[in-house]
Each structure stands twice: as C-alpha cells, then as structure tokens.
Amino acid sequence: MIVKNFTDAIEELAPSYYAEDFDNTGLLIGEFTTEVTGVLVTLDTLETIVDEAIEKKCNLIISFHPIIFSGLKKLNRKNYVERVVHKAIKHDIAIYAMHTALDNVYNGVNGMMCKKLGLLNTSILIPKSKTIKKLTTYVPKANAEVVRHALFEAGGGNIGNYNYCSFNINGTGTFNGNEYSNPSIGTPGVTQFEEEVQINMTFSSHLESSLLKALFKSHPYEEVAYEIETLENLDQHRGIGMVGEFEIAKTAEEALRHVKSVFKTKTIRHSQFISKDIKRVAVLGGSGAFAIDRAKAAKADLYITADLKYHDFYRAENSIILADIGHYESEQYTKDLIHAYLTKKFANFALVLSNNNTNPIQYF
C-alpha cells in the first residue's frame, strides 16, 4: 500500500475540492508513492503525535487539522509548527490534513456531532452553492445505454438518496465531416442525419474530470458534442454545520446537561435560557460565530459551537441559546470518524487511533 491509496480513499469521503479557500488541506508533507508501514489518525499533529507515529512504526499521519496553515519561511525549530515539520521530514513521515473538506460533507464533523447527540431529521445548516454541475451530451440511439451507464459508473446522476438519475430526449442530430475527419458513422463530405438521444445528468463538481473521461471513452463519435454548466441549486449534501431535532424536547437544563455529558466538557459558556423547551438543535464544530444568524433562521432552539466572543452572546436576543462547548470538545470525535471509515476501507492494514489528547486548553 502506498500513500496515494489512503489519500484516494479519503478523497472519496471528503474531497479536498470542497475545502474552504482559506484552508490548507491534502498531503502537506511526503510523497504519494511512499510505501506505507502504518497509519496514525489524529485530530492535531503535534510533536507528541509524531513521536507516537515513530514509536508505533506509522509513516503516515492522517490529521483533521493542518499543521501547516500559513506560509513557512524557515525551518529552525523555533516554534511548534517548525518542530513538527522538521521531525516529520527527518523521519520520513507523511502528513495529510482534511479540515474543512470534512466539515463540508454530510457525514463529516457535524454529522458526527449530531450522531453523538442523538439528533434526528438532520440537514445541512449552510448548504454550499455552485457545487452541482449538469452535463448534456448527444449520443446515437444505439449507444445511449452504454454511454449513460459509463457516466453513472463515474459518479454522475446521484441526487440525494437516489442514483442513476438522468433525463433523456430523442431527436435528430446532423453533422458533415471534412476531408480530415474519420467519422464512426456516416461519410466525410456527406451530411449525416442520425437518430440521437440527448442525455442530461447532474454531478458533483469534483467529479468533472472523471465524468469527461468516461464520456470520451464510451462515446462512439470522433468529436463528442457536450455542454457543462454550473447550477445555482443549493447542495443539500455539502455545506457546513447541521441542524436536527431531539426525539423528545428537553428543558434548557436537561439539554445542556446532555451536551456536557456527550462532549465531556468541564464547562459550557452559554447565553441566557429562553422560555421554551429545546427541540431543534444546530451544531457547527470549531469556530462557529459566523453561523449564529443561520442557526436562528433555521429555527434552532439551541446552537452548539465554539470560540464565541463576548459580544457574540448578545446576538442570541432571547430567541436561541448559544452554547460554546470548546473547540477541541466540539471536534474530538472527528478522529474516531476518520479511523472507523479507513478501517472499513482497509480492514487488514495497521490503522492506529492516536491516544493523545491534543487539546491546548486546560481548565482550573
């Protein structure tokens, strides 16, 4: 097994295509062709994590947070980032980071938070836009099924809980090849009228290259006519944050006690209680002040996130409870999610879940 086997599997779960522009995801240190001796899964990559990888003979670290976030100008081991990078390179350890790519998928960070809380009827809090594209192509009637199947196999035609979705229109295509053409149907210099099927199919943006390869390989024409357009539709399966419901409404005290127990936090900073029970809950792992208004618009009674500032709590305005449970606490189960996913993919490989607590915040 090489590094690329694992990164390809991760890309299936959380394509780096959907990471936020400010982020730094992907293979940060190492080479895709390196033979992997073992994989260590962690939330953060610190020196202690690299030491753990060395001890457990793991030369690939898969981390949620990227150790290299902004540009590195020196490697003098004068801060924790430089020391981690230096030690990883010295010991030939590759580091891959997922971060907001995993934040922006349905079964990612926030999906895990919902699962741990027992929330039902979950949906994306802030769906992404312009992540869905549509392919239109024109195929001879006799070849339509072959092309359609090839596109489905490449990942096209998936809409929510449905797959093999397409729309097809019968019509007549015309073409006339010049003296340099080599048409599979018809004769150069003679206008050909061909019964064709117009195939329309939506697909996730990151699959465009795979879809076009499948189209060109399966299509019989020398020159393939196709169109791709980006849709304005909101992507209900990609985006940040989630919202769901408790099966049975809880009082504010019961809800926060439940949150405190699930996320094993010693303290919760929260806005004042509202005068109704808590049924609808929004979550966003990590820093989530930017989504307060979206949580309110989603009619959430409780918004669970982290890194809220003093004035952020005023924005509750007695319509929602804002609960800051801590950055680490909100994302702590992410490494379990990654480890479980990779274990299912690579059942007979050495996949180690780090036992290091990388929370930099201590409570007194």
Side-chain angles (χ1 to χ4, degrees):
M1 295 287 238
I2 61 174
V3 169
K4 195 172 189 304
N5 295 132
F6 293 94
T7 59
D8 282 351
I10 291 168
E11 286 287 327
E12 291 177 22
L13 171 66
S16 53
Y17 182 96
Y18 300 107
E20 298 298 324
D21 292 339
F22 64 79
D23 206 0
N24 188 30
T25 60
L27 189 63
L28 308 184
I29 297 173
E31 300 175 20
F32 287 106
T33 55
T34 299
E35 193 77 25
V36 178
T37 58
V39 178
L40 181 67
V41 179
T42 181
L43 189 69
D44 303 280
T45 305
L46 305 177
E47 269 195 279
T48 53
I49 299 297
V50 179
D51 290 336
E52 185 181 3
I54 295 168
E55 178 190 345
K56 295 176 178 175
K57 296 180 171 53
C58 297
N59 66 341
L60 172 60
I61 295 172
I62 295 176
S63 175
F64 175 62
H65 289 126
I67 183 60
I68 303 173
F69 198 78
S70 52
L72 276 176
K73 295 185 177 180
K74 297 177 183 178
L75 274 177
N76 297 330
R77 296 190 290 177
K78 287 189 175 181
N79 59 50
Y80 80 98
V81 175
E82 292 179 11
R83 287 193 294 273
V84 168
V85 173
H86 183 276
K87 183 173 282 191
I89 292 173
K90 182 178 179 180
H91 292 274
D92 293 322
I93 294 173
I95 299 176
Y96 185 98
M98 304 173 75
H99 207 207
T100 56
L102 191 58
D103 280 317
N104 278 320
V105 294
Y106 190 86
N107 293 315
V109 177
N110 301 294
M112 191 65 164
M113 291 179 71
C114 290
K115 182 179 179 181
K116 289 292 182 180
L117 287 165
L119 300 184
L120 307 174
N121 305 319
T122 56
S123 59
I124 298 291
L125 180 63
I126 308 177
K128 275 188 168 292
S129 62
K130 300 184 178 179
T131 63
I132 302 172
K133 294 189 176 185
K134 185 175 83 170
L135 167 70
T136 300
T137 189
Y138 309 86
V139 189
K141 204 168 185 178
N143 305 90
E145 180 54 34
V146 171
V147 173
R148 200 162 33 237
H149 180 74
L151 295 174
F152 289 149
E153 288 297 301
N158 291 328
I159 302 176
N161 295 321
Y162 295 84
N163 53 18
Y164 302 116
C165 303
S166 68
F167 187 75
N168 304 269
I169 305 170
N170 292 324
T172 303
T174 65
F175 52 87
N176 188 326
N178 62 26
E179 66 270 29
Y180 302 108
S181 66
N182 184 28
S184 56
I185 299 173
T187 305
V190 178
T191 300
Q192 176 76 16
F193 289 78
E194 184 67 26
E195 293 302 305
E196 294 181 340
V197 177
Q198 181 193 92
I199 300 174
N200 300 273
M201 187 178 298
T202 59
F203 62 94
S204 295
S205 299
H206 73 283
L207 295 174
E208 182 171 335
S209 176
S210 299
L211 221 71
L212 289 179
K213 284 179 184 177
L215 174 63
F216 298 148
K217 186 176 180 180
S218 61
H219 203 293
Y221 285 170
E222 183 180 26
E223 297 286 352
V224 180
Y226 70 95
E227 304 151 24
I228 289 179
E229 57 183 312
T230 300
L231 305 182
E232 293 294 330
N233 304 44
L234 292 177
D235 192 333
Q236 300 303 319
H237 284 261
R238 298 194 192 281
I240 202 159
M242 294 196 81
V243 61
E245 297 175 342
F246 287 130
E247 184 175 7
I248 300 173
K250 302 177 186 291
T251 66
E253 291 89 344
E254 288 172 339
L256 289 187
R257 273 198 295 269
H258 178 59
V259 171
K260 192 171 185 178
S261 173
V262 166
F263 292 101
K264 304 170 189 174
T265 181
K266 293 185 178 181
T267 184
I268 296 177
R269 299 164 62 235
H270 62 85
S271 59
Q272 77 177 62
F273 288 170
I274 55 178
S275 58
K276 64 174 180 175
D277 285 347
I278 307 302
K279 175 74 170 175
R280 193 161 169 80
V281 181
V283 303
L284 197 155
S287 303
F290 67 90
I292 290 173
D293 290 339
R294 295 300 289 267
K296 291 164 71 175
K299 307 297 183 187
D301 306 311
L302 171 65
Y303 177 40
I304 303 166
T305 187
D307 300 342
L308 299 183
K309 295 181 180 179
Y310 177 87
H311 289 95
D312 291 328
F313 289 98
Y314 284 125
R315 295 167 60 191
E317 297 182 295
N318 298 318
S319 65
I320 190 172
I321 298 175
L322 305 178
D324 184 334
I325 65 172
H327 196 120
Y328 173 86
E329 287 79 5
S330 69
E331 297 174 337
Q332 63 186 290
Y333 296 115
T334 303
K335 66 179 183 179
D336 301 275
L337 163 67
I338 299 167
H339 183 260
Y341 171 79
L342 290 175
T343 298
K344 194 174 288 187
K345 284 279 187 180
F346 305 97
N348 299 315
F349 198 83
L351 289 152
V352 181
L353 182 63
S354 174
N355 54 22
N356 270 286
N357 182 327
T358 57
N359 190 358
I361 299 172
Q362 304 298 309
Y363 299 96
F364 183 73

